[in-house]
Amino acid sequence: MTNVPPPAQELAIIDQELVRLDARRGQLLTRKAYLLNLRAQPAPPWAQPVARSFAPPAGTSSPGAQNVLLMLGGLLLAVAAIAFTLVSWGHLGIGGRAAVLTGVTVLTLAVPVPLLRRGLRSTAEAVAALGLVLTVLDAYALYRVALPGADGLGCTAAATAVLAVLWAGYGTALGGLRGPLPAAVLTAQLPLTLWALATGSTPLTVSWALLVTAALDTALASRTGSRTVRGFAGVAAGVTAAGALLVAGALSVSAVTPPAALRPGALLLAAAALGLLAARRAGALAPVCAAVAGLAGIAAVGAVVRTAVPGGWTAPGYLLCAVALSTVVRTRLPGPVVRGLAGAAGLVAALSVLWALPAVAVALLGGVAAIPEIWTGVPAVPWPGRPTAPVVLLTAAGALAVSAYGPYPGARDTGAGVGARGGDGAGARGGVSAVARTLALCGSLALGWAGVLVLPLALDAAYPVRVAVPALLTAGALAVVVGPRVPGGSPVRVTALVCALAGSAGGSLMSLGGRAATVTTLAVLSALFAGAAMARMTAHAAETAGTTEATETVRIRAVLACTAVGYTTALVAAACAAAGLSVETTAVAVLVVPAAVALLAALPSTRPLAAPIEITAAGAGLLAVALASGRASVLALVLALCGVIAAGTAVRAERRTVAGYTATALFVLATWVRLAASDVPVPEAYTLPVTLPALAVGLLRRRRDPEASSWTAYGPGLAVTLLPSLLAAWGDTHWSRPLLLGVAALAITLSGARLGLQAPLVLGGTVLGLVALHELAPYVVQAVGALPRWLPPALAGVLLLAVGATYERRLKDARRVRRSLGRMR
């Protein structure tokens, strides 16, 4: 039975317990402070030597210091052994030499055994390393004493083989040592290569020696259980195999006959087989090993093909080998191996395509040579002499098209295809990913287009064929662009659009050799791009409405429409030039394009494309102005027509502001150019056509917004005429201009005062005062010249005194005038 005390008694017990705990805590803190203070005091003098003898050095850990000391000790012993062998060797006889070296070596190699039993592993490692160095010295001593006339490379090969075996056995027997086995692996890389060099073998034999060594390393790396040995063997295999491949590859490239290419080719095939075997056990490095194997196989077979076919078929030969290798994508090999082989095939295919790209550049830009001598005949195209470029491009395009629907590399390992990942709905286990398929389709389309584009130049076809093929390619590419259902979606459409633009530009340049070819090509291209831009694409638009692809479709159509406007402008200019019309007439004819665009942009169906095509049409207007700049009267007409087009565009509400201002500026420029062409020097003839419309606009602005400032409504229009006329009046010696300007300024001033408008009052009054001053200036000068010289300063002084005496009153008058002006609008 448990007795529970009352709450008051329980609280008293808790308080007593807390007091006791606080007292105990204080005692413990006091003891802690005492001990810390005692620890900080130095030890007595009699205890310091004893403490130093048992304490480890500051800042060092026993394992790290032990390893450093053992390393230094072993290094010193090795140096001493080498010095003894090289310097003091001659002081001993044959028996003494053998006894010393044998005894020291055996003793050194035996010491690690008891050390390992006692757990002194680091010491055993250091002594074992010294023993390995002594075995090397034993081999050197044996060569100097017993085999002084033997071949150095041969003896070194034999010695390294024996040492590798001995070290391997020694490391296996003493499993606790980590150094002998890696040393044996590294030493085992030398015997075969040194033997091949000692026998005076060919570079191919040396390569075989390196490859056999790499095969042995690979076997060791795949069978050993030691991670350290596996790492050393793998690295050694990679280095020796790389040396063999480099030598064999150089021999393969330099071979001139099929038999000469077969010899290094056999080595390359053996290396490829070794790489495939290594890829199965290489783990993360499996794709690298497989890629190297694939490159070796392509190099071996491609070299034989290269020596058996004419020189121009070298690149296609290697490409066909790469295509054949790419068929492994459809095999049941492990995923990493398939990816490596596919990467090797892709690298070779990419290099082949790079080899063919100069031919594509010539096909696109070869017509530039016809620009300086337009319409003078077939342009001389600088062909780079690569007739097999179309074969390379078309083969690569076909390979990409096939790979787009092939199995996904590595699907065997992942166990899922596109359908499992929610891709394009293929649903087939092992199918390619959506991104890979899209990239393959884009590449196939571009390479196929490039192959057909280069074909006429490679076959040295007639000039009409060279001009027609780019146009046909453009039509095909545009069909892909506007197709309702295109595999790959927007990326494939964009690729087709780029091909269409590039092909049309190349065809246009190529057509500059003849008048009929130029006009026909531009007409066809204008029609193609215009038709593509106006294509409805209703099914596709309905499927993608409100999506990112719908926005991409609008952008593509905008590019097509702008291109159509550009080619139409070029067509009008070329047709006028072919018809023998003058440049000025051509300038007026070019304005048909912006006029037609202004009408089309107002249609509801072309509303999304209005802004891009109007900007492009503005470029056509600039071209017309440039063409008409040689004759002022025609330039005025062109500017006026541009103003009419801009005014018609300003009827639309969304273009009213920009197009309205543009139309006004064009009309003003047209008027000025027309007046300048008529030799009119009067500035009012240039300014009044601006002032009157500006005042009319200001009046309308004030009627709609009575609170608008007069400076905004009337200031610009009045300043345009008053200021130039004032400058002209000050330099005019006649009385008519100042009189008319003064009357006009007076009328403007009175109107401003009557209507309470600040801008007319200030501008008119300022101009009126300056005109009056200009007219009175001669008389003032005469009067001042007739007066005595002391009178002007005296009058000025009197005036200053009068102003100073009435300063407060004048200040009040000035403030009243300022308030009156401030109340005006």
Side-chain angles (χ1 to χ4, degrees):
M1 180 175 179
T2 302
N3 295 323
V4 178
Q9 185 179 357
E10 185 177 2
L11 288 175
I13 294 173
I14 292 174
D15 291 337
Q16 293 175 2
E17 189 69 16
L18 290 175
V19 170
R20 187 180 64 81
L21 291 175
D22 290 338
R24 181 58 180 167
R25 184 172 183 274
Q27 294 175 359
L28 294 176
L29 289 175
T30 304
R31 182 61 180 174
K32 179 180 178 182
Y34 170 78
L35 293 175
L36 290 175
N37 186 29
L38 183 63
R39 181 180 179 183
Q41 295 179 359
W46 56 269
Q48 289 181 2
V50 178
R52 282 198 297 265
S53 62
F54 288 97
T60 62
S61 61
S62 55
Q66 180 185 16
N67 292 333
V68 171
L69 294 175
L70 291 174
M71 186 182 301
L72 291 177
L75 180 61
L76 291 176
L77 289 176
V79 172
I82 294 172
F84 171 79
T85 303
L86 297 178
V87 178
S88 302
W89 185 259
H91 299 291
L92 298 175
I94 296 178
R97 299 170 185 175
V100 170
L101 279 177
T102 303
V104 173
T105 303
V106 172
L107 179 61
T108 305
L109 293 176
V111 168
V113 177
L115 292 176
L116 289 175
R117 291 176 182 175
R118 294 177 180 271
L120 302 176
R121 184 172 180 176
S122 299
T123 307
E125 292 283 358
V127 176
L130 176 61
L132 299 183
V133 174
L134 290 176
T135 57
V136 177
L137 296 178
D138 288 339
Y140 173 73
L142 179 63
Y143 167 71
R144 292 294 304 272
V145 174
L147 304 170
D151 180 55
L153 283 177
C155 290
T156 305
T160 52
V162 173
L163 289 176
V165 174
L166 291 177
W167 293 354
Y170 182 70
T172 304
L174 300 180
L177 297 177
R178 292 175 294 182
L181 288 178
V185 172
L186 296 178
T187 307
Q189 311 306 310
L190 301 176
L192 291 178
T193 306
L194 293 177
W195 171 80
L197 293 174
T199 56
S201 302
T202 61
L204 186 60
T205 305
V206 177
S207 299
W208 276 109
L210 290 171
L211 185 61
V212 172
T213 304
L216 296 175
D217 293 330
T218 303
L220 177 62
S222 62
R223 293 182 178 276
T224 185
S226 173
R227 181 178 300 178
T228 303
V229 176
R230 187 184 305 115
F232 275 90
V235 173
V239 174
T240 52
L245 288 174
L246 289 176
V247 177
L251 295 175
S252 176
V253 171
S254 61
V256 294
T257 61
L262 283 174
R263 289 190 287 271
L267 187 145
L268 291 173
L269 290 177
L274 178 62
L276 290 178
L277 291 175
R280 290 180 173 271
R281 297 179 177 270
L285 296 178
V288 178
C289 296
V292 173
L295 292 175
I298 293 174
V301 180
V304 177
V305 175
R306 175 182 60 82
T307 56
V309 298
W313 290 86
T314 299
Y318 282 103
L319 178 59
L320 290 176
C321 296
V323 172
L325 180 63
S326 65
T327 56
V328 301
V329 174
R330 299 180 181 273
T331 64
R332 301 293 296 175
L333 291 174
V337 176
V338 172
R339 286 194 292 270
L341 294 176
L347 177 60
V348 175
L351 294 175
S352 302
V353 171
L354 287 177
W355 174 84
L357 284 184
V360 180
V362 169
L364 289 176
L365 303 176
V368 175
I371 294 178
E373 300 177 357
I374 188 172
W375 295 347
T376 58
V378 180
V381 178
W383 178 244
R386 298 182 180 181
T388 57
V391 177
V392 170
L393 295 171
L394 293 176
T395 303
L400 281 177
V402 172
S403 66
Y405 295 95
Y408 176 72
R412 218 178 123 189
D413 297 337
T414 59
V418 178
R421 291 189 297 269
D424 58 356
R429 187 174 184 265
V432 296
S433 65
V435 175
R437 174 174 297 173
T438 301
L439 293 177
L441 289 174
C442 292
S444 177
L445 176 62
L447 292 176
W449 168 84
V452 178
L453 181 69
V454 174
L455 193 59
L457 294 177
L459 298 177
D460 195 16
Y463 179 67
V465 177
R466 297 184 185 181
V467 177
V469 168
L472 294 175
L473 284 175
T474 301
L478 292 178
V480 175
V481 173
V482 301
R485 290 184 177 272
V486 177
S490 293
V492 176
R493 294 180 190 274
V494 173
T495 303
L497 178 61
V498 173
C499 293
L501 294 175
S504 63
S508 302
L509 293 174
M510 188 64 68
S511 69
L512 295 178
R515 296 173 183 266
T518 301
V519 175
T520 303
T521 300
L522 292 176
V524 171
L525 293 177
S526 301
L528 287 175
F529 279 97
M534 300 305 294
R536 298 293 295 177
M537 292 187 289
T538 53
H540 184 72
E543 293 176 2
T544 61
T547 64
T548 304
E549 192 169 357
T551 304
E552 193 70 25
T553 301
V554 174
R555 294 175 181 174
I556 291 175
R557 294 184 65 189
V559 173
L560 293 173
C562 293
T563 307
V565 172
Y567 279 122
T568 303
T569 304
L571 172 63
V572 173
C576 293
L581 300 179
S582 62
V583 177
E584 291 78 11
T585 305
T586 303
V588 177
V590 167
L591 292 179
V592 174
V593 176
V597 169
L599 294 176
L600 288 174
L603 299 177
S605 59
T606 58
R607 192 63 57 84
L609 312 178
I613 60 176
E614 285 174 345
I615 294 174
T616 308
L622 293 177
L623 175 62
V625 171
L627 293 175
S629 59
R631 190 173 175 184
S633 58
V634 179
L635 178 60
L637 176 61
V638 169
L639 291 172
L641 293 177
C642 290
V644 172
I645 296 172
T649 305
V651 174
R652 294 157 48 196
E654 68 275 11
R655 297 286 186 268
R656 184 164 300 161
T657 301
V658 176
Y661 286 126
T662 303
T664 302
L666 289 172
F667 284 134
V668 170
L669 288 176
T671 305
W672 288 355
V673 172
R674 180 68 262 182
L675 292 173
S678 302
D679 297 329
V680 177
V682 180
E684 288 78 10
Y686 296 88
T687 57
L688 285 177
V690 180
T691 295
L692 296 178
L695 292 178
V697 172
L699 180 60
L700 295 176
R701 171 71 182 277
R702 290 275 296 173
R703 285 185 177 179
R704 289 185 302 180
D705 184 13
E707 299 298 325
S709 173
S710 62
W711 288 101
T712 303
Y714 305 116
L718 293 175
V720 166
T721 295
L722 291 177
L723 297 181
S725 298
L726 178 62
L727 294 176
W730 273 71
D732 196 347
T733 57
H734 300 86
W735 59 272
S736 56
R737 181 185 297 276
L739 177 60
L740 294 176
L741 180 60
V743 171
L746 178 60
I748 293 172
T749 303
L750 295 177
S751 299
R754 175 67 179 83
L755 300 175
L757 300 176
Q758 190 179 109
L761 178 63
V762 173
L763 288 176
T766 302
V767 173
L768 180 61
L770 292 176
V771 170
L773 179 61
H774 173 266
E775 295 301 315
L776 293 175
Y779 304 103
V780 173
V781 171
Q782 273 186 345
V784 172
L787 294 174
R789 295 191 176 184
W790 56 268
L791 188 58
L795 294 176
V798 172
L799 178 62
L800 291 176
L801 289 175
V803 171
T806 59
Y807 175 75
E808 293 295 334
R809 183 178 178 183
R810 301 292 175 248
L811 186 60
K812 291 180 180 179
D813 294 341
R815 289 173 180 173
R816 186 166 51 254
V817 171
R818 186 180 65 179
R819 286 194 296 269
S820 300
L821 288 175
R823 286 192 294 270
M824 295 181 178
R825 284 291 177 183

